[in-house]
Amino acid sequence: MIGALLCGAAVFPGLFFGFRKILKRTWPEWSDADVATVSERLVSAVHASLATAAGVTVVSSCRDVMTDSHWLVNSFVLFGAPYMLFDLYAMYLSHYHTERTPGGSAAPGGHSPHTVGAFLRKDWMLVLHHLALLLVFMPVTLFFRRGLGDFFIGCLFITELSTPFISIGKILIQLRLDGTRLHRVNGLIVLPTFFTCRILLFPFMYWKYGQQFGIPLHRVAFHLPLHCNLGNLVLLAPQVYWFSLLLRKARRLYLRQRRRQEDEAGPKAD
């Protein structure tokens, strides 16, 4: 178990600093903000891909959703814990450099409590998400489950399936490629994967539990302890909020593209 923790502590910072060096050498004209943001999103995509693969492995191997276990669950939680901690630093570094670009809102200067506070105000929900995973999800998974429910932890790993596509979208925006066909196609992939793996996954878990014990889906919640239902609600709420943001963004992009097409068609019609 300590080996998994140390491995994660070496892999994710190593990837971040490695990506930074490669990107800076390959595209020397990129700003520090471009390099930091793209590096952070690439590491995020790597972690998400590994989490999804671990989740699929666990879910496909557990026939009994309550008692079957898989060694990957605790090992990957420990392996991923350093990523959550380091990603807070990487996100802050990306924010810091972005705010100091010519179009940023901050005056040039060094790191300070003010810059940290600005980052926390801007990305408070992601910071809270990371801290909750470290301070709540990890201890519950490792110490308070009594070896039960590996199937459901595997399902939660699979929620990361949409993250690589979200990362690709943010990278394209950072590189000013948000008007390209690639960005539009990526956006079409993000919406169904996010909805399926981060929202529909919760009723799926309830359905699997009901199927295991012969309980109709609409009655499953009444057979579970209150803290299980509340925990799922706390996990689901931010996913619904983030999905609503994705829908608004997709609508803005669609309207922008539609106006662009109308503007291009106007002169031709004349």
Side-chain angles (χ1 to χ4, degrees), residues 148-182:
L148 299 175
D150 279 19
F151 172 86
F152 299 110
I153 303 299
C155 287
L156 295 179
F157 289 166
I158 295 175
T159 61
E160 292 293 329
L161 177 63
S162 61
T163 301
F165 303 107
I166 294 174
S167 294
I168 291 171
K170 291 186 176 180
I171 290 172
L172 293 173
I173 291 172
Q174 186 71 22
L175 300 180
R176 275 73 68 182
L177 296 173
D178 48 319
T180 62
R181 178 174 296 180
L182 177 60

Side-chain angles (χ1 to χ4, degrees), residues 44-210:
S44 177
V46 170
H47 170 266
S49 300
L50 294 174
T52 302
V56 170
T57 302
V58 171
V59 168
S60 61
S61 68
C62 293
R63 297 291 174 258
D64 189 303
V65 300
M66 289 302 297
T67 60
D68 282 359
S69 62
H70 198 288
W71 65 269
L72 257 179
V73 170
N74 287 351
S75 295
F76 191 82
V77 167
L78 286 167
F79 174 72
Y83 162 77
M84 291 297 166
L85 192 59
F86 183 80
D87 194 48
L88 291 174
Y89 166 75
M91 287 192 300
Y92 164 73
L93 202 62
S94 173
H95 166 83
Y96 173 81
H97 288 302
T98 300
E99 290 301 300
R100 273 146 189 78
T101 56
S105 60
H111 301 281
S112 68
H114 175 74
T115 60
V116 175
F119 162 67
L120 293 176
R121 286 190 297 273
K122 178 178 177 289
D123 290 320
W124 67 270
M125 200 163 189
L126 279 172
V127 172
L128 184 63
H129 169 265
H130 280 45
L131 291 177
L133 289 175
L134 281 170
L135 302 177
V136 179
F137 177 76
M138 186 174 74
V140 167
T141 301
L142 296 176
F143 306 116
F144 299 107
R145 293 186 303 119
R146 303 189 306 276
L148 299 175
D150 279 19
F151 172 86
F152 299 110
I153 303 299
C155 287
L156 295 179
F157 289 166
I158 295 175
T159 61
E160 292 293 329
L161 177 63
S162 61
T163 301
F165 303 107
I166 294 174
S167 294
I168 291 171
K170 291 186 176 180
I171 290 172
L172 293 173
I173 291 172
Q174 186 71 22
L175 300 180
R176 275 73 68 182
L177 296 173
D178 48 319
T180 62
R181 178 174 296 180
L182 177 60
H183 186 261
R184 292 194 295 273
V185 171
N186 185 73
L188 291 175
I189 297 173
V190 166
L191 290 175
T193 54
F194 193 101
F195 182 72
T196 301
C197 296
R198 289 182 178 253
I199 295 177
L200 284 185
L201 187 72
F202 286 88
F204 168 76
M205 290 191 292
Y206 277 66
W207 175 72
K208 287 295 290 184
Y209 181 90

